[in-house]
Amino acid sequence: MTAPAQYPIGTPGKAWGSVEKSTWLSRQIRLRSYADEVLARIELLRARFDVTQYGLIEYGDERFPLLAVRSRDWRDELPCVLVTGGVHGYETSGVHGALQFVEQRAADYAGRVNLLVAPCISPWAYERIHRWNADAIDPNRSFREGSPAQESAALMQLVAPLRDRFLVHVDLHETTDTDESEFGPALAARDGKEFEPHGIPDGFYVVGDDEDPQPEFQQAIIAAVAKVTHIAPADAKGEIIGSKVVGNGIINYALRNLGLCGSVTKARYRTTTEVYPDSPRATPEQCNAAQVAAVCAAIDFALARGG
Ligand SMILES: [Zn+2]
């Protein structure tokens, strides 16, 4: 074992200040276009869905409109379903899976549920293929009152009027090799802590809520996704990324305490998907299809159980 290399920014044991954060920011490079890859695709949905702008992310002279897609036949008596992608901008299949769900499968649920889809919550990070926003904040630890992340605050505001009316919320994520090669070490350096790797699981898994885990619901999603891509096995300790595996491909987190997007509604059925795009056994198409399968399985399960 060699000692892990020190993260190139900051002093070990000391949390970053503004100088370290601007050094970090200066190293972030724009690698893809939110306008071309996300907004252009949402524009095409306007023919069949209601598209609304729910916020505007501003960093320096950059502007990113935040768009949400809604069922056109919205009816107040129907249960609501929230699908969120790109809370972590680098997790590509979260964004493209949400868009693919709307394009290919949303029509199947017309007249049965009201759909609200926010496909790319953190667009600056989408373009940089990064986990944090430009303020070196993880939006997916920031879903709380007085959020320090404008991305999280905007989604909370969008959801607020409907918060009690959601039956389902699926938050689409990925676990990637860069979580341990870059983002984990960067987080530890930012907070002046030591980085502790857990290993990256090879396969798909879901994260339920410690406070209301809904194991049958999670299992139904795993069963549907297993037809598309392989499910992550538990490691030698019976864990996935440091959490106890409670069912095939299922772990639970304290969503609300951690300020995770999965706690943004009071939906009875909520889950966070984790696709593994770096697997030699998974293509980008499979990753997107796995996200779509997870969303459909979640809605199907909830509808079968009744609101
Ligand atoms: Zn994520």
Side-chain angles (χ1 to χ4, degrees):
M1 286 286 286
T2 51
Q6 189 196 321
Y7 195 76
I9 299 169
T11 311
K14 211 173 147 228
W16 289 1
S18 56
V19 172
E20 289 81 7
K21 284 180 189 171
S22 25
T23 305
W24 168 82
L25 181 61
S26 71
R27 294 184 182 198
Q28 303 312 314
I29 301 161
R30 187 171 178 268
L31 297 164
R32 55 187 179 183
S33 167
Y34 172 63
D36 293 350
E37 296 178 16
V38 181
L39 294 182
R41 246 170 108 179
I42 296 177
E43 283 310 310
L44 297 175
L45 295 168
R46 282 189 195 270
R48 296 188 289 138
F49 298 90
D50 288 344
V51 175
T52 51
Q53 183 177 339
Y54 68 93
L56 182 70
I57 301 295
E58 302 185 56
Y59 292 115
D61 52 11
E62 289 187 273
R63 302 282 179 277
F64 302 92
L66 295 171
L67 299 187
V69 182
R70 280 174 208 263
S71 305
R72 177 148 290 168
D73 56 344
W74 192 282
R75 297 210 318 260
D76 282 342
E77 69 273 22
L78 295 177
C80 299
V81 172
L82 177 66
V83 178
T84 45
V87 174
H88 287 138
Y90 69 114
E91 296 170 3
T92 305
S93 73
V95 177
H96 293 267
L99 290 169
Q100 190 169 315
F101 166 73
V102 179
E103 291 163 350
Q104 299 181 357
R105 299 301 306 275
D108 301 350
Y109 298 98
R112 298 160 70 200
V113 297
N114 299 321
L115 291 169
L116 176 60
V117 181
C120 189
I121 287 165
S122 188
W124 181 91
Y126 178 84
E127 293 199 333
R128 270 78 183 175
I129 315 188
H130 208 288
R131 186 174 173 89
W132 295 342
N133 67 16
D135 298 321
I137 294 170
D138 184 341
N140 207 32
R141 296 294 182 278
S142 307
F143 287 90
R144 51 180 100 248
E145 283 307 309
S147 176
Q150 43 180 320
E151 295 83 0
S152 313
L155 186 77
M156 288 171 76
Q157 213 173 4
L158 171 73
V159 165
L162 299 164
R163 192 175 140 81
D164 299 338
R165 304 215 7 243
F166 286 101
L167 176 63
V168 177
H169 175 201
V170 186
D171 189 29
L172 305 176
H173 285 254
E174 294 182 341
T175 300
T176 67
D177 289 348
T178 48
D179 287 339
E180 293 222 320
S181 64
E182 170 60 27
F183 302 134
L187 173 66
R190 186 197 70 184
D191 296 345
K193 292 179 179 163
E194 204 147 311
F195 174 59
E196 286 174 46
H198 291 296
I200 298 296
D202 181 357
F204 177 92
Y205 64 98
V206 290
V207 184
D209 190 346
D210 258 350
E211 290 179 14
D212 188 10
Q214 297 289 346
E216 289 173 56
F217 167 68
Q218 312 295 349
Q219 195 50 59
I221 294 168
I222 293 291
V225 173
K227 294 174 186 162
V228 178
T229 189
H230 57 288
I231 304 304
D235 63 19
K237 289 194 281 184
E239 296 177 346
I240 288 176
I241 59 161
S243 290
K244 186 172 172 284
V245 171
V246 295
N248 182 28
I250 305 169
I251 60 172
N252 291 316
Y253 264 26
L255 299 185
R256 204 154 47 94
N257 289 345
L258 289 167
L260 298 182
C261 183
S263 69
V264 81
T265 74
K266 292 182 180 170
R268 179 182 303 166
Y269 300 112
R270 48 183 186 271
T271 195
T272 299
T273 66
E274 296 286 349
V275 162
Y276 179 50
D278 298 321
S279 175
R281 294 193 280 154
T283 63
E285 291 73 26
Q286 265 177 314
C287 293
N288 295 339
Q291 303 283 25
V292 174
V295 174
C296 293
I299 303 173
D300 292 344
F301 182 92
L303 287 176
R305 285 299 166 99

